[in-house]
Amino acid sequence: SLPSNDLNTVHEIYKKTEGWPIGIKLVAKIIEREMLESVSHHKFSDKNPYVSDYLFHKLLTTFSDEEIKFLLRASVLRFLEPKICDKLTGQVNSVKILNSFEKRGLFINKLDDKKLVFQIHQMFREFLIEELRLRNSHTELKSLYQTAAFHLYEQNDIMNAMEVALLGELYTTVKKWIDKHLLYVLAHGQTETL
């Protein structure tokens, strides 16, 4: 039996990596170099050199330019639906690309077969968002977030629209939506985004 501090550390590592085996393996490398006590306070994110090195050099370099562009632009979304992915990426084959990633086990999971809803693994998504920011101007990013947020809003996906708008620093838009939909948000107990 592990001491409670060690159990907390293991739980924190599992939470941060979402049980992702390669993520856990990378954290194990970090633990080898650092004292176990500091691991529970260590930030396992895209800024960690082990994770970003693995994801960028070992994974992204194996993708086609079309796949990289798709992943970077789609990463602004928490949930990937082909229709909005087509709009954000300028492609018409998002279903094919998403299914391909999912079948190859490449950090994308299908959440709903009927509606074709996918999700990028959170650690990979954080890495992609950072990479997107490095590769694009502030104006390009704002435009991408705006397109995504307004499309979600038009689909009546208010909470995800607000989240994307906040990430894109579209504060005036978020304020308008909050003013208009505050009762809905409160009634559904979805105040985390706010």
Side-chain angles (χ1 to χ4, degrees), residues 72 75-76 128-136 141 144:
L72 292 175
S75 69
V76 302
L128 290 170
I129 289 171
E130 185 60 30
E131 193 65 26
L132 179 71
R133 288 187 176 137
L134 292 173
R135 294 181 182 206
N136 292 277
L141 289 173
L144 179 64

Side-chain angles (χ1 to χ4, degrees), residues 20 55 59-75 80 82 85 89 91 93-111 117-121 124 128:
W20 177 43
L55 291 175
L59 185 63
L60 279 189
T61 57
T62 66
F63 294 150
S64 69
D65 289 343
E66 176 188 39
E67 289 174 323
I68 292 170
K69 178 185 174 189
F70 179 91
L71 284 169
L72 292 175
R73 295 182 69 80
S75 69
L80 308 177
C85 288
T89 63
Q91 299 180 30
N93 60 343
S94 293
V95 173
K96 181 181 172 187
I97 293 171
L98 289 165
N99 277 320
S100 170
F101 283 134
E102 201 250 345
K103 284 179 185 164
R104 293 185 291 175
L106 297 175
F107 311 104
I108 293 185
N109 298 315
K110 190 182 291 184
L111 301 177
V117 177
F118 298 81
Q119 186 172 29
I120 300 175
H121 187 282
F124 189 44
L128 290 170

Side-chain angles (χ1 to χ4, degrees), residues 140-153:
E140 291 168 323
L141 289 173
K142 207 161 192 167
S143 175
L144 179 64
Y145 279 103
Q146 184 172 354
T147 300
F150 278 92
H151 182 78
L152 289 167
Y153 187 81

Side-chain angles (χ1 to χ4, degrees), residues 7-22:
L7 286 174
N8 290 338
T9 300
V10 169
H11 178 70
E12 185 65 23
I13 291 169
Y14 183 80
K15 248 176 47 180
K16 294 282 186 183
T17 63
E18 298 176 6
W20 177 43
I22 293 172

